[in-house]
């Protein structure tokens, strides 16, 4: 076999492999519009969980020491701060993923 025949056969093989890979790619999900709603609910739950945990700890400490509103308010505010911090971290994670997807799409469009 000559070098040109090998190159031609290799190019044909690569075309067949590309077509097979494209056929095997997963189809885009039809419920993609729900994913942002899921992320929003995730962030709401993180915020409420921080508040609830702060309330529980504060109320428990207040019952233990007999100072009902002081520690409850303090730990609710700390729980709020923790919930907001977690919520912002989730938003940053979503943003990073979206930027990476856009960069990948732009790279594929250039090729």
């Amino acid at each position: 076999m000559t070098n040109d025949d090998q190159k031609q056969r290799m190019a044909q093989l690569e075309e067949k492999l590309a077509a097979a890979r494209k056929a095997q790619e997963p189809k885009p999900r039809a419920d993609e519009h729900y994913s942002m709603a899921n992320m929003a609910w995730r962030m709401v739950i993180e915020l409420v969980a921080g508040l609830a945990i702060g309330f529980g700890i504060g109320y428990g400490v207040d019952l233990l020491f007999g100072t009902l509103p002081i520690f409850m308010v303090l730990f609710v505010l700390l729980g709020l701060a923790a919930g907001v911090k977690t919520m912002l971290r989730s938003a940053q994670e979503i943003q990073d993923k979206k930027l990476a997807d856009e960069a990948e799409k732009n790279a594929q469009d250039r090729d």
Side-chain angles (χ1 to χ4, degrees):
M1 279 190 159
T2 64
N3 201 12
D4 291 334
D5 288 341
Q6 289 178 345
K7 287 182 181 179
Q8 184 180 14
R9 291 183 70 197
M10 186 63 83
Q12 290 173 350
L13 180 61
E14 287 177 4
E15 289 174 10
K16 288 180 183 179
L17 284 173
R21 285 186 188 126
K22 190 171 184 174
Q24 295 295 325
E25 284 182 359
K27 303 285 187 232
R29 291 182 1 181
D31 60 344
E32 190 65 35
H33 62 281
Y34 291 118
S35 66
M36 292 310 283
N38 288 341
M39 293 299 170
W41 275 111
R42 174 183 165 189
M43 288 192 278
V44 168
I45 289 170
E46 288 170 348
L47 181 63
V48 171
L51 283 170
I53 290 170
F55 175 79
I57 292 172
Y59 187 74
V61 171
D62 277 333
L63 283 179
L64 185 66
F65 293 130
T67 58
L68 191 58
I70 296 170
F71 288 109
M72 185 174 65
V73 171
L74 177 68
F75 278 97
V76 164
L77 292 176
L78 289 174
L80 176 67
V84 168
K85 183 178 178 184
T86 306
M87 191 173 71
L88 289 175
R89 192 178 320 138
S90 295
Q92 184 67 40
E93 177 184 319
I94 293 167
Q95 184 180 10
D96 290 344
K97 182 179 178 189
K98 189 169 188 168
L99 289 174
D101 289 345
E102 287 178 10
E104 183 179 327
K105 183 179 178 183
N106 289 340
Q108 287 177 354
D109 289 344
R110 282 187 242 151
D111 291 342

